[in-house]
Amino acid sequence: MTEEEIRRNIEEIKKRIEAAAHRAGRSAAEVQLVAVTKTVPPEKIMAAYQMGLRDFGENRVQEMVKKRGELPADIRWHMIGHLQTNKVKYIVDWVYMIHSLDRPSLAAEISKRAKAVGRTVPCLVEVNVAGEESKFGLAPEEVIDFIREVAQMPGIAVKGLMTVAPYTENPEEVRPVFRRLREIAAQVEAEQIPGVEMRYLSMGMSGDFEVAIEEGAHMVRLGTALFGARQ
Ligand SMILES: *Cc1c(COP(=O)(O)O)cnc(C)c1O
């Protein structure tokens, strides 16, 4: 994919985000595009940066740390992949948001490290809505108890939920997954847990983001649709 193609993709994706938001009676301003840059080299990421994108997502700590050192300082780095507890210390100072909070031991580590650096790290709780064996995330029925536990921890702020829908050729098939995530967020909201907000639903990837936006996504995480197929 050339830099010119990346620029064209971004234009095109922005239009599709807008159209999907309008179909649902929403404003496109409510939908944040997070450009997923795993395996994408810095010069290609810069093409997206020059188009005004500032939110970038990585699923591996090592790659995110390396790219952060090579790219402009005003980029907001989102951790979207499975996060090993022993890697938290490398990102806790500066990561913009962790989308993949999925277990008490990880929450405890983020809390401990964040407190030590005097920060509160915004996190989304990952939910395995479809119950896929191969996926990380809490079962829907575990979410409220988990969030109650996290809400007691300093240095960590729950800001919403995230899910990765099953892979499908036909995005309509995963519409119920996105709808369910929104319903779970409403249930959490109704619990009125102090310090917990259900402000963001991070859902939708290259193959299904329009359906996710129609179902209420506030953050879509797009890699292939912007940068082409990964090697
Ligand atoms: C890779 C990845 C994405 C982006 O996937 P595409 O299909 O390339 O848009 C989104 N979310 C997570 C958690 C990912 O690992």
Side-chain angles (χ1 to χ4, degrees):
M1 190 112 339
T2 66
E3 283 155 42
E4 182 51 36
E5 284 170 311
I6 292 168
R7 284 192 278 275
R8 276 205 301 269
N9 288 344
I10 292 171
E11 297 280 3
E12 169 77 22
I13 291 295
K14 282 188 171 169
K15 285 186 195 143
R16 287 171 59 187
I17 289 174
E18 216 153 279
H22 286 165
R23 282 197 295 280
R26 306 180 62 205
S27 158
E30 294 170 34
V31 184
Q32 177 69 56
L33 169 58
V34 178
V36 177
T37 50
K38 58 193 188 201
T39 78
V40 178
E43 62 277 14
K44 304 259 156 93
I45 300 175
M46 276 311 289
Y49 180 88
Q50 278 151 3
M51 292 284 289
L53 302 196
R54 291 294 179 273
D55 292 87
F56 294 94
E58 283 285 338
N59 67 340
R60 294 179 55 195
V61 165
Q62 206 178 353
E63 198 175 340
M64 187 160 73
V65 168
K66 183 162 184 288
K67 282 175 180 163
R68 176 172 179 262
E70 296 166 349
L71 289 161
D74 63 343
I75 289 176
R76 296 184 284 261
W77 290 101
H78 298 246
M79 180 65 204
I80 63 170
H82 183 65
L83 180 53
Q84 285 173 267
T85 309
N86 63 0
K87 301 275 171 69
V88 170
K89 58 179 176 284
Y90 301 116
I91 63 171
V92 71
D93 280 16
W94 48 267
V95 68
Y96 181 72
M97 186 176 275
I98 294 172
H99 293 228
S100 45
L101 178 61
D102 63 354
R103 58 196 192 281
S105 59
L106 178 60
E109 178 68 11
I110 295 168
S111 172
K112 183 180 96 182
R113 298 281 175 183
K115 218 177 123 202
V117 298
R119 232 200 125 190
T120 295
V121 179
C123 293
L124 307 180
V125 172
E126 182 169 357
V127 187
N128 185 358
V129 174
E132 288 177 284
E133 289 277 338
S134 61
K135 292 237 163 87
F136 295 103
L138 291 139
E141 61 274 15
E142 297 171 331
V143 171
I144 288 174
D145 284 348
F146 177 70
I147 292 179
R148 282 193 189 287
E149 191 178 340
V150 175
Q152 307 292 322
M153 300 179 184
I156 183 164
V158 175
K159 297 285 183 193
L161 305 178
M162 178 272 226
T163 199
V164 178
Y167 176 77
T168 168
E169 292 283 323
N170 173 12
E172 279 302 326
E173 284 172 11
V174 292
R175 185 181 292 277
V177 170
F178 299 135
R179 190 167 292 171
R180 186 77 210 284
L181 194 73
R182 190 183 59 195
E183 288 165 3
I184 296 165
Q187 286 163 4
V188 174
E189 191 103 67
E191 298 287 318
Q192 299 193 331
I193 303 165
V196 170
E197 282 185 298
M198 286 289 112
R199 195 151 130 218
Y200 300 109
L201 293 176
S202 169
M203 58 187 195
M205 300 170 38
S206 292
D208 57 23
F209 70 94
E210 287 152 307
V211 171
I213 291 168
E214 288 169 17
E215 293 301 328
H218 303 101
M219 291 184 173
V220 291
R221 310 176 308 268
L222 306 185
T224 321
L226 302 177
F227 302 109
R230 286 179 285 274
Q231 314 296 295

PDB file of all heavy atoms in Angstrom, residues 63-80:
ATOM      1  N   GLU A  63       6.221  -3.430  20.349  1.00  0.00           N
ATOM      2  CA  GLU A  63       6.068  -2.677  19.102  1.00  0.00           C
ATOM      3  C   GLU A  63       5.559  -1.255  19.386  1.00  0.00           C
ATOM      4  O   GLU A  63       6.001  -0.284  18.767  1.00  0.00           O
ATOM      5  CB  GLU A  63       5.087  -3.431  18.192  1.00  0.00           C
ATOM      6  CG  GLU A  63       5.168  -3.016  16.743  1.00  0.00           C
ATOM      7  CD  GLU A  63       4.263  -3.859  15.834  1.00  0.00           C
ATOM      8  OE1 GLU A  63       3.867  -4.984  16.223  1.00  0.00           O
ATOM      9  OE2 GLU A  63       3.953  -3.364  14.726  1.00  0.00           O
ATOM     10  N   MET A  64       4.684  -1.137  20.350  1.00  0.00           N
ATOM     11  CA  MET A  64       4.144   0.183  20.683  1.00  0.00           C
ATOM     12  C   MET A  64       5.246   1.076  21.273  1.00  0.00           C
ATOM     13  O   MET A  64       5.353   2.254  20.921  1.00  0.00           O
ATOM     14  CB  MET A  64       2.959   0.036  21.649  1.00  0.00           C
ATOM     15  CG  MET A  64       2.239   1.322  21.910  1.00  0.00           C
ATOM     16  SD  MET A  64       0.558   1.128  22.550  1.00  0.00           S
ATOM     17  CE  MET A  64       0.883   0.606  24.203  1.00  0.00           C
ATOM     18  N   VAL A  65       6.052   0.510  22.149  1.00  0.00           N
ATOM     19  CA  VAL A  65       7.140   1.274  22.775  1.00  0.00           C
ATOM     20  C   VAL A  65       8.119   1.756  21.700  1.00  0.00           C
ATOM     21  O   VAL A  65       8.547   2.914  21.679  1.00  0.00           O
ATOM     22  CB  VAL A  65       7.874   0.409  23.824  1.00  0.00           C
ATOM     23  CG1 VAL A  65       9.169   1.066  24.279  1.00  0.00           C
ATOM     24  CG2 VAL A  65       6.963   0.129  25.013  1.00  0.00           C
ATOM     25  N   LYS A  66       8.455   0.871  20.778  1.00  0.00           N
ATOM     26  CA  LYS A  66       9.414   1.202  19.737  1.00  0.00           C
ATOM     27  C   LYS A  66       8.864   2.319  18.844  1.00  0.00           C
ATOM     28  O   LYS A  66       9.540   3.315  18.575  1.00  0.00           O
ATOM     29  CB  LYS A  66       9.706  -0.052  18.906  1.00  0.00           C
ATOM     30  CG  LYS A  66      10.736   0.136  17.831  1.00  0.00           C
ATOM     31  CD  LYS A  66      11.282  -1.211  17.360  1.00  0.00           C
ATOM     32  CE  LYS A  66      12.395  -1.037  16.332  1.00  0.00           C
ATOM     33  NZ  LYS A  66      11.898  -0.582  15.032  1.00  0.00           N
ATOM     34  N   LYS A  67       7.634   2.168  18.403  1.00  0.00           N
ATOM     35  CA  LYS A  67       7.042   3.172  17.511  1.00  0.00           C
ATOM     36  C   LYS A  67       6.866   4.514  18.205  1.00  0.00           C
ATOM     37  O   LYS A  67       7.030   5.567  17.598  1.00  0.00           O
ATOM     38  CB  LYS A  67       5.704   2.675  16.978  1.00  0.00           C
ATOM     39  CG  LYS A  67       5.899   1.662  15.871  1.00  0.00           C
ATOM     40  CD  LYS A  67       4.597   1.077  15.425  1.00  0.00           C
ATOM     41  CE  LYS A  67       4.861   0.070  14.310  1.00  0.00           C
ATOM     42  NZ  LYS A  67       3.703  -0.809  14.114  1.00  0.00           N
ATOM     43  N   ARG A  68       6.508   4.461  19.457  1.00  0.00           N
ATOM     44  CA  ARG A  68       6.342   5.719  20.190  1.00  0.00           C
ATOM     45  C   ARG A  68       7.635   6.536  20.142  1.00  0.00           C
ATOM     46  O   ARG A  68       7.599   7.758  19.998  1.00  0.00           O
ATOM     47  CB  ARG A  68       5.957   5.436  21.641  1.00  0.00           C
ATOM     48  CG  ARG A  68       5.862   6.689  22.473  1.00  0.00           C
ATOM     49  CD  ARG A  68       5.291   6.375  23.830  1.00  0.00           C
ATOM     50  NE  ARG A  68       5.224   7.582  24.648  1.00  0.00           N
ATOM     51  CZ  ARG A  68       6.125   7.925  25.553  1.00  0.00           C
ATOM     52  NH1 ARG A  68       7.172   7.148  25.779  1.00  0.00           N
ATOM     53  NH2 ARG A  68       5.990   9.032  26.248  1.00  0.00           N
ATOM     54  N   GLY A  69       8.777   5.843  20.244  1.00  0.00           N
ATOM     55  CA  GLY A  69      10.064   6.523  20.194  1.00  0.00           C
ATOM     56  C   GLY A  69      10.396   7.092  18.813  1.00  0.00           C
ATOM     57  O   GLY A  69      11.246   7.972  18.697  1.00  0.00           O
ATOM     58  N   GLU A  70       9.745   6.599  17.792  1.00  0.00           N
ATOM     59  CA  GLU A  70      10.068   7.009  16.418  1.00  0.00           C
ATOM     60  C   GLU A  70       9.060   7.994  15.818  1.00  0.00           C
ATOM     61  O   GLU A  70       9.256   8.474  14.718  1.00  0.00           O
ATOM     62  CB  GLU A  70      10.093   5.758  15.513  1.00  0.00           C
ATOM     63  CG  GLU A  70      11.187   4.777  15.876  1.00  0.00           C
ATOM     64  CD  GLU A  70      11.021   3.405  15.232  1.00  0.00           C
ATOM     65  OE1 GLU A  70       9.945   3.130  14.651  1.00  0.00           O
ATOM     66  OE2 GLU A  70      11.956   2.605  15.316  1.00  0.00           O
ATOM     67  N   LEU A  71       7.980   8.234  16.539  1.00  0.00           N
ATOM     68  CA  LEU A  71       6.874   9.023  15.974  1.00  0.00           C
ATOM     69  C   LEU A  71       6.554  10.231  16.855  1.00  0.00           C
ATOM     70  O   LEU A  71       6.999  10.300  17.996  1.00  0.00           O
ATOM     71  CB  LEU A  71       5.649   8.106  15.802  1.00  0.00           C
ATOM     72  CG  LEU A  71       5.812   7.077  14.658  1.00  0.00           C
ATOM     73  CD1 LEU A  71       4.842   5.918  14.812  1.00  0.00           C
ATOM     74  CD2 LEU A  71       5.638   7.745  13.297  1.00  0.00           C
ATOM     75  N   PRO A  72       5.776  11.195  16.320  1.00  0.00           N
ATOM     76  CA  PRO A  72       5.519  12.427  17.076  1.00  0.00           C
ATOM     77  C   PRO A  72       4.915  12.188  18.457  1.00  0.00           C
ATOM     78  O   PRO A  72       4.171  11.231  18.678  1.00  0.00           O
ATOM     79  CB  PRO A  72       4.527  13.186  16.186  1.00  0.00           C
ATOM     80  CG  PRO A  72       4.781  12.678  14.811  1.00  0.00           C
ATOM     81  CD  PRO A  72       5.152  11.232  14.977  1.00  0.00           C
ATOM     82  N   ALA A  73       5.244  13.092  19.363  1.00  0.00           N
ATOM     83  CA  ALA A  73       4.893  12.921  20.781  1.00  0.00           C
ATOM     84  C   ALA A  73       3.418  13.167  21.057  1.00  0.00           C
ATOM     85  O   ALA A  73       2.931  12.809  22.125  1.00  0.00           O
ATOM     86  CB  ALA A  73       5.739  13.871  21.626  1.00  0.00           C
ATOM     87  N   ASP A  74       2.697  13.779  20.109  1.00  0.00           N
ATOM     88  CA  ASP A  74       1.279  14.046  20.398  1.00  0.00           C
ATOM     89  C   ASP A  74       0.349  12.900  19.974  1.00  0.00           C
ATOM     90  O   ASP A  74      -0.868  13.034  20.031  1.00  0.00           O
ATOM     91  CB  ASP A  74       0.829  15.377  19.775  1.00  0.00           C
ATOM     92  CG  ASP A  74       0.921  15.383  18.261  1.00  0.00           C
ATOM     93  OD1 ASP A  74       1.608  14.512  17.690  1.00  0.00           O
ATOM     94  OD2 ASP A  74       0.291  16.266  17.645  1.00  0.00           O
ATOM     95  N   ILE A  75       0.911  11.779  19.569  1.00  0.00           N
ATOM     96  CA  ILE A  75       0.084  10.613  19.251  1.00  0.00           C
ATOM     97  C   ILE A  75      -0.484  10.026  20.545  1.00  0.00           C
ATOM     98  O   ILE A  75       0.210   9.942  21.556  1.00  0.00           O
ATOM     99  CB  ILE A  75       0.908   9.552  18.486  1.00  0.00           C
ATOM    100  CG1 ILE A  75       1.191  10.051  17.067  1.00  0.00           C
ATOM    101  CG2 ILE A  75       0.186   8.190  18.464  1.00  0.00           C
ATOM    102  CD1 ILE A  75       2.071   9.125  16.248  1.00  0.00           C
ATOM    103  N   ARG A  76      -1.754   9.651  20.474  1.00  0.00           N
ATOM    104  CA  ARG A  76      -2.405   8.967  21.601  1.00  0.00           C
ATOM    105  C   ARG A  76      -2.358   7.470  21.321  1.00  0.00           C
ATOM    106  O   ARG A  76      -2.979   6.985  20.378  1.00  0.00           O
ATOM    107  CB  ARG A  76      -3.853   9.450  21.740  1.00  0.00           C
ATOM    108  CG  ARG A  76      -3.949  10.940  22.080  1.00  0.00           C
ATOM    109  CD  ARG A  76      -5.375  11.406  22.308  1.00  0.00           C
ATOM    110  NE  ARG A  76      -6.105  11.550  21.060  1.00  0.00           N
ATOM    111  CZ  ARG A  76      -6.297  12.715  20.419  1.00  0.00           C
ATOM    112  NH1 ARG A  76      -5.812  13.839  20.922  1.00  0.00           N
ATOM    113  NH2 ARG A  76      -6.968  12.746  19.288  1.00  0.00           N
ATOM    114  N   TRP A  77      -1.614   6.764  22.153  1.00  0.00           N
ATOM    115  CA  TRP A  77      -1.416   5.323  21.933  1.00  0.00           C
ATOM    116  C   TRP A  77      -2.420   4.507  22.722  1.00  0.00           C
ATOM    117  O   TRP A  77      -2.511   4.621  23.945  1.00  0.00           O
ATOM    118  CB  TRP A  77       0.013   4.925  22.322  1.00  0.00           C
ATOM    119  CG  TRP A  77       1.036   5.477  21.372  1.00  0.00           C
ATOM    120  CD1 TRP A  77       1.827   6.577  21.577  1.00  0.00           C
ATOM    121  CD2 TRP A  77       1.351   4.975  20.068  1.00  0.00           C
ATOM    122  NE1 TRP A  77       2.620   6.784  20.465  1.00  0.00           N
ATOM    123  CE2 TRP A  77       2.350   5.820  19.528  1.00  0.00           C
ATOM    124  CE3 TRP A  77       0.887   3.903  19.292  1.00  0.00           C
ATOM    125  CZ2 TRP A  77       2.895   5.622  18.253  1.00  0.00           C
ATOM    126  CZ3 TRP A  77       1.430   3.709  18.022  1.00  0.00           C
ATOM    127  CH2 TRP A  77       2.420   4.555  17.529  1.00  0.00           C
ATOM    128  N   HIS A  78      -3.141   3.667  22.012  1.00  0.00           N
ATOM    129  CA  HIS A  78      -4.159   2.794  22.618  1.00  0.00           C
ATOM    130  C   HIS A  78      -3.627   1.370  22.637  1.00  0.00           C
ATOM    131  O   HIS A  78      -3.221   0.842  21.603  1.00  0.00           O
ATOM    132  CB  HIS A  78      -5.449   2.812  21.789  1.00  0.00           C
ATOM    133  CG  HIS A  78      -6.111   4.156  21.697  1.00  0.00           C
ATOM    134  ND1 HIS A  78      -7.343   4.403  22.254  1.00  0.00           N
ATOM    135  CD2 HIS A  78      -5.726   5.323  21.103  1.00  0.00           C
ATOM    136  CE1 HIS A  78      -7.684   5.664  22.010  1.00  0.00           C
ATOM    137  NE2 HIS A  78      -6.724   6.241  21.307  1.00  0.00           N
ATOM    138  N   MET A  79      -3.651   0.741  23.807  1.00  0.00           N
ATOM    139  CA  MET A  79      -3.287  -0.676  23.894  1.00  0.00           C
ATOM    140  C   MET A  79      -4.554  -1.489  23.655  1.00  0.00           C
ATOM    141  O   MET A  79      -5.485  -1.438  24.454  1.00  0.00           O
ATOM    142  CB  MET A  79      -2.697  -0.959  25.277  1.00  0.00           C
ATOM    143  CG  MET A  79      -2.297  -2.403  25.471  1.00  0.00           C
ATOM    144  SD  MET A  79      -0.949  -2.835  24.343  1.00  0.00           S
ATOM    145  CE  MET A  79      -1.190  -4.605  24.249  1.00  0.00           C
ATOM    146  N   ILE A  80      -4.582  -2.239  22.557  1.00  0.00           N
ATOM    147  CA  ILE A  80      -5.830  -2.939  22.206  1.00  0.00           C
ATOM    148  C   ILE A  80      -5.726  -4.456  22.329  1.00  0.00           C
ATOM    149  O   ILE A  80      -6.729  -5.150  22.209  1.00  0.00           O
ATOM    150  CB  ILE A  80      -6.298  -2.558  20.779  1.00  0.00           C
ATOM    151  CG1 ILE A  80      -5.273  -3.000  19.728  1.00  0.00           C
ATOM    152  CG2 ILE A  80      -6.575  -1.061  20.672  1.00  0.00           C
ATOM    153  CD1 ILE A  80      -5.778  -2.876  18.300  1.00  0.00           C
TER     154      ILE A  80
END
